[in-house]
Amino acid sequence: MGLKLSRWKATRDLMVGQKQSAGPERLLDGSVILTRLEAAVNWARKYSFFLYPFVTACCGMEFMSVAGPRYDLDRFGAALPRFSPRQSDLLMVVGTISHKQAPILVKVYNQMAEPKWVFAFGVCAVSGGFYDNYSVVQGIDTLIPVDIYVPGCPPRPEMVLDGLLLLQQKVKQERWSDWPRGEAPVSRC
Amino acid sequence: MSEISKDLHTEYMVINMGPSHPVTHGTVKFLATLEGETIVDLDVEIGYLHRGFEKMCENSTWQQVIPYTDRLNYVSPLINNTGYALAVEKLLGIDVPERCKYLRVIACELSRLSDHLTNVAAAGLELGAFTAFLYFVEARELVWDLIESLCGARVTVNYVRIGGLKNDLPERFEEKVRYVFKEVRRLWVDVDKLLTKNRIFIDRVRGVGAISAEEAIAYGFTGPCLRACGVPYDVRKAQPYLVYDRMDFEVPIGETGDNYDKYLVRMEEIQQSMRIVEQALAQMPDGPINVRLPQVRMEPKEKIYSRIDSLIYHFKTVIEGIKPPPGEVYQAVEGGNGELGFYLVSDGSGKPYKCRVRPPCFALTAAMPRLVKGRLLADIVPTFDMINMIGGECDR
Amino acid sequence: MGLMDASVTLKKLTEKFPDAVVGTHNYRGDDTAIVKKEKIRDICLFLRDDPDLLYNFMMDLTVVDYLGRDPRFEVVYHLYSLPHNRRVRIKALVPESDLTIDSVVSVWVAADWFEREAYDMYGVVFTGHPNLRRILLYEGFEGHPLRKDYPLKKRQPLIGPVN
């Protein structure tokens, strides 16, 4: 019984991140975990991202590799791409966004339900890349709020997985008051 | 039945398969006018990935264009690099050493492998054959391991230089090639068993997207889509460049031009590409890989740091760019999708006056309405997959 | 391709259209003919149908802007003959004052999208084209970006940040 209790304790401490006294759990023989609701919900959210891969360009090749069998997104819970914004919560903007494509990106972002996160995959999404010209948006953060920036042209799959882990850490620290955030703050020029 | 439907007021429905759609590879919009499930008309709108390739090239030196060419057909970047370098070398009137030609052939064929593997994998994925996708993505990863050991990067390689290459073969490359090709052949046999005689796959792709040879030529088709129609046109055989005239390979030809023939042509070309790489590795001579013209190709760093003339040439070519004589040239290579042509105009300065790419999949995508008119909405998926439209090349 | 074979196209072209062909050259082995723009459709039909030439493939259609020269634009056609395995380049001179040229869609269907792209990027109007509208840029874009006097970094966003 002592071993079981310590294992439960370890699990609970992992989830909440701080040590607490064992009172009620010991009384209930380790069949109950107590934590804050925020922490539990964040834990569920971060290990079950439903991606919307907004793939446009060359980074899409690395996205296929990341989703492939060698560098596996499924290990991190983010396996299932949902090709509808209504059903997904992680918008991965993969590749260059041109001015013609920009309204579509904003529309897709607005159609997603909160909570939602945006992952800028590749340096063209982060800042326009080396396409500093008349037709490329210089970074999608001029259009929608971005949570994680992964530069690279294209980024190696390990970098993408690192970005995903950082996003998971970010989600872990969220509070209820962060949501809802509202529509993307853009204007039609 | 027709008596009843005369009284029913029916209209055509216009459905938008928008630019952010998994099938359209993210960047093409289809406006399908439907009668029930049958397509009456299809309007294809491209340009969602227009990144201004030509304008950027006009503002960069001749050597700085090479990374932009990587991102054209981004599944086979080495072929684009090679095509551009060959065009500039034609403009300069220089010829590269033998070893460089063989290495370029190896690089091109590895890239072509990557292209066809990706295309068949994506086609399988979009028709629901997820296992074929996973197997060929693993095969592609192995080929990319080879490319990474050769060039240093997986996708956007930037390996070919004007007048040579970035570096020579790494150690034990032949062993790695042997191992990788054994694995790729094994995976090829697996996917062949999964797809080629699969009832569901055949029902979806056979008879769909068929086009006659004359019409295909009128539309400007080249590459596997044209060869699937029965026309034996391959730039590597018709107007050989590099050392393709010394390689023994076959060009697979289809019959009806439908999607099933395109798939079979691509699968067979994977095997032929592997043959070419093995032959090239066996025949390759020793020697330098860069042409010895310091005003075109930079010399090794040891020379630049120790000799004043090498330093001056290095400075001039990096700051101002190499200076081909004024004129214009067109060079065609066989890309993964067809004839990839580079039309370069030089005015004698260090920057291209015009750098035009003839994109093979532009002509193929233009023929999309013709291929699917009268067929069902779901037939857009395999037809568009087998055309292998790559956004970076079509929209540049 | 021997030298005899290479100049068959240029010879026949100058014989058939002596007043339309302004010049020819063979720089680096590429046959090139510079023509006036008025008879371009007839020239293309001749190139496609003549049994010695049979240029059935239209490989490429593009425009080059020689700013500061008159005529300013050149519409460049790259053709390939599948039966004879030959290439030729036809350049039609188009001045800025009269920026139109006949469309060759009726000769090769492939010209459809290539001409739309040339219109989009340079502003050359192809008379007789069934559907001449922008293809690579959005409909409301102002200007023609590949012209030499259009700046590289001019931004025309459709949608942008609030502040």
Side-chain angles (χ1 to χ4, degrees):
Chain A
M1 184 174 121
L3 197 62
K4 214 162 60 168
L5 188 62
S6 65
R7 206 178 289 160
W8 273 111
K9 259 202 201 168
T11 318
R12 182 209 58 212
D13 288 341
L14 213 65
M15 274 182 53
V16 176
Q18 58 196 38
K19 291 212 169 285
Q20 284 177 344
S21 67
E25 281 124 358
R26 181 178 290 178
L27 289 177
L28 294 168
D29 197 19
S31 57
V32 164
I33 298 177
L34 291 185
T35 178
R36 288 177 290 122
L37 185 58
E38 247 177 21
V41 166
N42 283 344
W43 174 84
R45 281 178 183 167
K46 76 180 183 180
Y47 283 133
S48 67
F49 287 122
F50 282 84
L51 318 166
Y52 183 93
F54 195 92
V55 170
T56 43
C58 355
C59 283
M61 298 299 112
E62 285 294 7
F63 177 74
M64 279 165 80
S65 288
V66 175
R70 192 186 280 193
Y71 308 99
D72 199 358
L73 270 185
D74 201 355
R75 299 181 277 172
F76 305 97
L80 301 172
R82 289 278 165 253
F83 291 105
S84 160
R86 307 283 186 197
Q87 296 171 4
S88 56
D89 59 7
L90 177 61
L91 177 67
M92 285 185 114
V93 183
V94 184
T96 323
I97 301 294
S98 64
H99 287 303
K100 196 171 180 184
Q101 182 82 336
I104 292 144
L105 175 66
V106 174
K107 201 175 205 179
V108 164
Y109 178 78
N110 287 338
Q111 282 178 348
M112 284 168 72
E114 311 230 337
K116 56 191 173 186
W117 299 276
V118 177
F119 189 112
F121 189 132
V123 76
C124 286
V126 167
S127 70
F130 64 172
Y131 290 108
D132 189 5
N133 58 24
Y134 56 89
S135 77
V136 171
V137 172
Q138 301 293 301
I140 57 171
D141 49 7
T142 54
L143 303 169
I144 55 182
V146 175
D147 290 292
I148 290 284
Y149 296 86
V150 178
C153 195
R156 273 203 68 113
E158 291 96 341
M159 287 166 67
V160 176
L161 297 174
D162 187 36
L164 196 68
L165 290 174
L166 283 175
L167 181 62
Q168 287 177 343
Q169 280 176 25
K170 185 176 184 179
V171 170
K172 181 175 163 181
Q173 291 156 6
E174 278 181 351
R175 319 218 66 119
W176 291 123
S177 54
D178 287 344
W179 300 106
R181 284 192 195 149
E183 275 195 354
V186 289
S187 67
R188 307 232 154 222
C189 302
Chain B
M1 189 57 201
S2 55
E3 289 295 324
I4 302 173
S5 60
K6 270 194 198 121
D7 294 331
L8 287 174
H9 173 68
T10 52
E11 322 186 310
Y12 293 147
M13 184 163 64
V14 177
I15 283 210
N16 176 31
M17 275 175 82
S20 176
H21 191 289
V23 156
T24 66
H25 302 152
T27 52
V28 175
K29 181 160 94 162
F30 291 122
L31 272 169
T33 313
L34 297 175
E35 181 187 348
E37 188 89 15
T38 325
I39 297 176
V40 169
D41 194 12
L42 187 73
D43 182 29
V44 183
E45 193 177 328
I46 61 167
Y48 289 95
L49 192 58
H50 179 67
R51 297 186 276 196
F53 168 78
E54 287 186 41
K55 194 86 181 172
M56 299 301 299
C57 288
E58 288 172 16
N59 286 287
S60 325
T61 63
W62 290 93
Q63 308 96 296
Q64 284 173 341
V65 168
I66 296 182
Y68 291 107
T69 60
D70 263 339
R71 283 135 178 99
L72 284 174
N73 184 345
Y74 38 78
V75 268
S76 55
L78 283 159
I79 303 183
N80 310 336
N81 282 350
T82 314
Y84 175 74
L86 281 173
V88 180
E89 285 157 14
K90 187 172 172 182
L91 193 57
L92 287 164
I94 64 178
D95 200 23
V96 285
E98 286 289 308
R99 189 174 169 89
C100 173
K101 288 187 188 163
Y102 277 97
L103 269 176
R104 280 181 181 179
V105 164
I106 293 174
C108 279
E109 293 306 313
L110 285 176
S111 247
R112 195 187 311 280
L113 268 181
S114 157
D115 196 339
H116 291 323
L117 289 171
T118 311
N119 179 248
V120 176
L125 177 68
E126 281 151 25
L127 292 176
F130 197 61
T131 312
F133 169 75
L134 291 175
Y135 284 177
F136 266 174
V137 164
E138 179 57 28
R140 191 184 72 167
E141 291 282 336
L142 290 164
V143 173
W144 278 3
D145 277 347
L146 276 182
I147 292 182
E148 192 183 15
S149 69
L150 177 65
C151 316
R154 284 147 58 93
V155 181
T156 49
V157 276
N158 194 13
Y159 175 60
V160 180
R161 299 279 181 273
I162 298 169
L165 297 168
K166 175 169 157 276
N167 56 266
D168 207 337
L169 282 182
E171 297 175 346
R172 298 172 30 182
F173 190 71
E174 287 86 355
E175 274 179 47
K176 286 184 207 166
V177 166
R178 262 199 299 270
Y179 168 71
V180 165
F181 281 1
K182 192 163 69 103
E183 291 296 312
V184 171
R185 286 190 169 111
R186 183 178 61 82
L187 287 165
W188 187 95
V189 166
D190 282 340
V191 173
D192 195 42
K193 283 191 209 155
L194 278 174
L195 288 180
T196 310
K197 296 207 166 82
N198 188 330
R199 177 84 251 155
I200 304 174
F201 185 73
I202 294 181
D203 274 344
R204 289 228 42 197
V205 298
R206 172 163 271 172
V208 178
I211 190 170
S212 68
E214 294 79 31
E215 258 195 285
I217 293 180
Y219 270 103
F221 275 28
T222 47
C225 294
L226 182 65
R227 293 198 277 278
C229 300
V231 178
Y233 174 56
D234 186 334
V235 183
R236 298 175 289 174
K237 290 278 197 200
Q239 295 177 340
Y241 53 97
L242 295 175
V243 285
Y244 279 109
D245 42 0
R246 298 180 217 170
M247 299 286 152
D248 175 34
F249 65 102
E250 285 161 20
V251 171
I253 314 276
E255 280 177 0
T256 53
D258 62 2
N259 294 336
Y260 192 54
D261 282 351
K262 291 175 190 161
Y263 158 77
L264 289 174
V265 162
R266 289 209 163 94
M267 288 291 269
E268 188 53 39
E269 281 192 10
I270 293 176
Q271 296 285 359
Q272 297 297 325
S273 285
M274 287 198 271
R275 268 180 73 185
I276 296 178
V277 173
E278 286 162 350
Q279 284 172 37
L281 278 174
Q283 290 179 18
M284 194 161 62
D286 286 327
I289 54 165
N290 291 321
V291 73
R292 292 193 56 148
L293 286 171
Q295 60 266 42
V296 168
R297 175 79 184 102
M298 276 197 318
E299 298 188 307
K301 286 294 181 189
E302 303 84 36
K303 266 194 161 169
I304 293 178
Y305 288 145
S306 53
R307 294 172 56 108
I308 188 66
D309 51 345
S310 303
L311 180 65
I312 294 176
Y313 277 126
H314 173 257
F315 181 76
K316 298 282 273 188
T317 53
V318 168
I319 299 291
E320 292 175 0
I322 63 176
K323 298 216 170 99
E328 55 196 359
V329 80
Y330 178 81
Q331 169 71 32
V333 295
E334 178 75 16
N337 286 338
E339 171 171 327
L340 179 69
F342 281 90
Y343 172 57
L344 302 176
V345 177
S346 158
D347 59 348
S349 77
K351 300 188 178 179
Y353 194 76
K354 175 154 176 99
C355 174
R356 155 87 183 166
V357 174
R358 187 259 174 198
C361 53
F362 195 68
L364 298 171
T365 317
M368 260 307 277
R370 157 73 186 76
L371 292 176
V372 293
K373 212 171 266 198
R375 305 211 61 102
L376 304 176
L377 183 64
D379 290 330
I380 291 183
V381 176
T383 315
F384 194 63
D385 268 332
M386 286 309 175
I387 285 181
N388 198 21
M389 186 218 76
I390 304 285
E393 188 177 60
C394 195
D395 299 342
R396 280 151 283 135
Chain C
M1 276 195 303
L3 226 68
M4 271 289 289
D5 190 43
S7 56
V8 159
T9 318
L10 296 178
K11 225 163 45 168
K12 291 202 84 165
L13 196 60
T14 30
E15 273 166 17
K16 186 88 195 277
F17 297 94
D19 47 344
V21 176
V22 169
T24 62
H25 68 76
N26 191 304
Y27 186 67
R28 303 280 187 229
D30 286 347
D31 287 338
T32 312
I34 308 172
V35 303
K36 294 205 196 106
K37 66 169 190 171
E38 280 77 19
K39 288 193 144 180
I40 189 69
R41 249 192 103 247
D42 296 326
I43 293 177
C44 288
L45 271 169
F46 169 67
L47 286 170
R48 188 190 70 174
D49 296 330
D50 185 87
D52 278 334
L53 301 180
L54 284 181
Y55 282 99
N56 49 2
F57 251 115
M58 162 172 243
M59 279 304 176
D60 196 14
L61 194 164
T62 183
V63 178
V64 189
D65 175 6
Y66 292 99
L67 184 63
R69 185 190 85 164
D70 183 45
R72 180 174 167 189
F73 295 97
E74 262 182 17
V75 179
V76 182
Y77 301 79
H78 282 96
L79 308 174
Y80 175 72
S81 163
L82 191 60
H84 299 292
N85 195 12
R86 270 188 229 132
R87 292 185 190 273
V88 75
R89 183 185 307 139
I90 308 287
K91 304 209 288 182
L93 302 168
V94 178
E96 192 174 356
S97 48
D98 178 23
L99 205 50
T100 58
I101 186 172
D102 281 337
S103 162
V104 293
V105 173
S106 47
V107 183
W108 300 285
V109 189
D112 184 1
W113 272 26
F114 284 113
E115 288 179 351
R116 277 179 67 186
E117 189 200 334
Y119 165 68
D120 191 2
M121 292 286 131
Y122 287 95
V124 178
V125 173
F126 290 86
T127 52
H129 192 281
N131 188 10
L132 196 67
R133 54 192 167 97
R134 286 193 183 269
I135 186 169
L136 292 181
L137 296 167
Y138 61 87
E139 283 296 325
F141 196 91
E142 283 167 13
H144 297 281
L146 274 180
R147 292 191 177 185
K148 291 287 180 183
D149 47 5
Y150 189 95
L152 173 69
K153 298 195 185 178
K154 181 173 172 180
R155 313 279 185 212
Q156 285 195 41
L158 272 179
I159 190 169
V162 201
N163 39 2

